[in-house]
Amino acid sequence: MKVILPKLKNQLLAMLMLLFVVQANAQTPRKADVIKLRDESKLEVFIQEVDDQVVKYKKISDPEGPLFSVKKSDIASIRYGNGEEETFEATLEVQNYYSPTKPTPAARQHEPGPAARKVANGPVKPSVQFAEDVRSASPDHLRSMYTYYKTRSKGGMVMGIAGTSVGVIVAAIGTGIVASAMDDNGNYKSYQDELRARKGAYMMLGGFAGAITFGTVGFVKGGKNGAKASRIRRELIRRGEPLTISIRPSFNPSQRAGSLTLALNF
């Protein structure tokens, strides 16, 4: 009995110490991870996932809140809460390639990076996002994007030209109807001519309205998509992607004339 009691006492003491250690570890809060961006700014966050392109995290002020992300190309290093640190190599980029003006070196020092602007000011503008997508896309994806926007640009221009032409023709027909319903003194020849002139006036208004509406929408659509296609083309040229030159002969039987079309494809 004297031998069993001390052993039982030591076992109970060991179990209490083990329970205390487990409870203390369970109550220890998770340390924040620190993301250092290439513009020298830092983000103290709880990292949730790291994949090939982005790092997903939650704010330490709202750990149960929405999930945010930052591109790995904008990250210089990450110091995890457990003390481990990971660095990221910088990717080669052409400075201010998509910017119409060249900022001074002093302005570049204080200018925040894309990730910092996104965190501080909310979602980036569509034009800035498009430029980032173009720079990060693979050559094959850029070629498909170029074909897509080039096709939409041609469709917009066709819509603008066709809408304007049809509208002008309808307006011209309406003008002719109004003119034929009047005599030399500008009076209607009969009541039937007056009704016909009203229909002609409606055709004039509808033609001009259609020409302006469809022409404007088509040309704006063609211009915007054409600008995107040109930006993608410049990026492909900058990367040194090969060009395919093709010559397409054609013949117009009605005019008895032939032509050659030179096409450049990436």
Side-chain angles (χ1 to χ4, degrees), residues 73-96:
S73 59
D74 297 326
I75 300 176
S77 64
I78 297 178
R79 187 175 72 250
Y80 297 97
N82 59 3
E84 297 181 0
E85 187 168 352
E86 183 179 4
T87 58
F88 299 87
E89 295 182 358
T91 56
L92 180 61
E93 294 184 358
V94 178
Q95 295 290 335
N96 306 307

Side-chain angles (χ1 to χ4, degrees), residues 141-198:
H141 186 52
L142 283 178
R143 292 188 185 95
S144 63
M145 289 173 63
Y146 175 79
T147 303
Y148 172 77
Y149 286 113
K150 195 67 176 177
T151 302
R152 287 179 63 88
S153 176
K154 291 181 179 178
M157 297 302 292
V158 170
M159 176 183 176
I161 295 173
T164 302
S165 301
V166 172
V168 171
I169 291 173
V170 171
I173 294 174
T175 303
I177 293 174
V178 173
S180 64
M182 296 181 178
D183 56 19
D184 296 338
N185 296 324
N187 300 319
Y188 297 114
K189 300 176 182 178
S190 64
Y191 179 70
Q192 296 299 327
D193 290 332
E194 183 178 356
L195 295 179
R196 192 159 56 90
R198 290 180 183 178

Side-chain angles (χ1 to χ4, degrees), residues 1 6 35 42 54 69 75 146 153 155 157 173 226 234 244 255:
M1 188 68 176
I35 300 176
K42 294 182 180 180
V54 298
S69 63
I75 300 176
Y146 175 79
S153 176
M157 297 302 292
I173 294 174
R234 292 197 301 268
T244 301
Q255 298 181 357

Side-chain angles (χ1 to χ4, degrees), residues 188-262:
Y188 297 114
K189 300 176 182 178
S190 64
Y191 179 70
Q192 296 299 327
D193 290 332
E194 183 178 356
L195 295 179
R196 192 159 56 90
R198 290 180 183 178
K199 293 180 181 179
Y202 291 146
M203 291 181 65
M204 289 174 55
L205 294 175
F208 285 125
I212 294 173
T213 302
F214 289 100
T216 302
V217 172
F219 289 131
V220 169
K221 179 180 177 181
K224 287 184 177 180
N225 288 286
K228 290 182 178 180
S230 298
R231 177 170 291 182
I232 296 171
R233 180 175 61 84
R234 292 197 301 268
E235 178 66 18
L236 286 168
I237 294 174
R238 185 185 70 83
R239 295 187 186 185
E241 293 298 321
L243 292 172
T244 301
I245 303 177
S246 60
I247 300 177
R248 303 170 185 172
S250 60
F251 179 75
N252 190 339
S254 61
Q255 298 181 357
R256 296 183 179 181
S259 63
L260 293 176
T261 303
L262 178 64

